[in-house]
Structures are given as structure tokens and as C-alpha cells.
Amino acid sequence: MLVSFVVPSIGRAQGIVEPGNSSLAPIDREAFRQQYGQESLFRLRLGVEAAEQTPKAGASPQSCPAASWAGSMQKQSYDTALSLRKYYAAGEALGEWRRLCPARP
């Protein structure tokens, strides 16, 4: 005997909403995805989000450490992390830059 079950639809998944390409500025999100893949982009974004959080209690406020992303220590850390395939660490470097230099492209 064949028994079938009908499961009512609870709702429809809306899909993943991707942030705009500028959401990881100065990094081009789509170019990063094409070069390193979706999972790497996900890990990068997690690192960025973690580093952009408010500094820990007791930490002294810091100013923007360099005139541009290209000349910053964070960019050097980012490049090193990418070369080692440590995408979360690369995201942390980018997030630190974005937190310290929010108005810089």
C-alpha cells in the first residue's frame, strides 16, 4: 500500500539578499567572488563584520592610520591573508580599515 503525505507550505524562502557591490568597499565584491568563490566571499564578509564592531571596552579610540587603503598596514595584512587563503583574516583587516577610516573609498 502506498501512502502519501501532503505537507502544507509554511512560507517561501525569499533567497539570499546580497548587499550592494559597495558594501565591501574598497574591495569589489563581485570581482572577489569571481576570483576566490562564494564561500571565500562569505568568510571575508564574516571577518569584515566582526572587525567593524565597536572596539572592545577600554580600547583607546584610534584615527585612520593611512591616507589610503592601498598604503595601509591593513591592506598588507589583507594581501598576506589572501595569499594564505585565510579569507576571514583578510576580512578582519578590511573591517578594521573600514572601522578606522569610514569615509575613505
Side-chain angles (χ1 to χ4, degrees):
M1 181 166 108
L2 181 64
V3 178
S4 63
F5 295 94
V6 177
V7 178
S9 174
I10 295 172
R12 295 186 189 265
Q14 298 299 317
I16 297 172
V17 176
E18 287 291 330
N21 194 37
S22 65
S23 68
L24 293 177
I27 305 302
D28 182 318
R29 182 182 55 81
E30 190 55 38
F32 186 94
R33 180 198 324 260
Q34 288 177 3
Q35 183 169 358
Y36 299 104
Q38 180 65 35
E39 183 178 340
S40 301
L41 177 63
F42 176 74
R43 291 174 188 271
L44 179 82
R45 286 176 34 198
L46 286 177
V48 168
E49 289 173 9
E52 282 186 330
Q53 299 301 317
T54 309
K56 294 177 181 156
S60 60
Q62 297 177 333
S63 61
C64 188
S68 70
W69 165 246
S72 70
M73 292 297 294
Q74 289 84 2
K75 173 70 162 103
Q76 292 174 14
S77 296
Y78 171 87
D79 290 339
T80 300
L82 284 184
S83 71
L84 297 171
R85 297 178 182 232
K86 294 185 176 192
Y87 305 109
Y88 185 88
E92 287 179 311
L94 175 58
E96 180 181 2
W97 168 260
R98 290 167 49 100
R99 181 173 44 81
L100 296 175
C101 308
R104 303 228 186 246

